[in-house]
Amino acid sequence: CLVHKQWYQRRVRGDFKAGFLRSGLFAYCRHPNFVCEILLWWVFALFSVSRCGFNWTFIGAFNLTCLFTGSVDITEQISSSKYALYAEYQEDVSAFIPSIRMLTIKKKQENKDKDK
């Protein structure tokens, strides 16, 4: 999985100075693993509809979406209390879907880094 590979590579290279990742997929989304899991279950539901018509799989996808969004609230609270820089990270990066505002901020930061 790309997320786990990036996490391990950053950990080995010492990118955990803040206590959490801010590069790779984590620069665009705070919980890319949750996003992929939610999308996976919705894709299963859509495949099921294409084969059998509307059925119970949407209930499972909806319930798992609720479960993961609730898990995000809990992990955000834990991370906020654990890491001082996490509040800044929350302001800069969306929990699930990258916004246009966030992408422009990211480009500005990359340009600043190139100027240094």
Side-chain angles (χ1 to χ4, degrees), residues 28-32 35 72 76 90 93-97:
Y28 302 100
C29 173
R30 291 193 308 265
H31 303 282
V35 172
V72 165
E76 294 281 310
Q90 286 176 311
V93 180
S94 172
F96 289 113
I97 302 168

Side-chain angles (χ1 to χ4, degrees), residues 44-69:
F44 285 160
L46 291 173
F47 279 139
S48 175
V49 165
S50 70
R51 179 72 175 120
C52 306
F54 188 79
N55 56 45
W56 60 270
T57 56
F58 279 99
I59 295 169
F62 176 76
N63 286 338
L64 286 166
T65 301
C66 292
L67 175 77
F68 281 112
T69 54

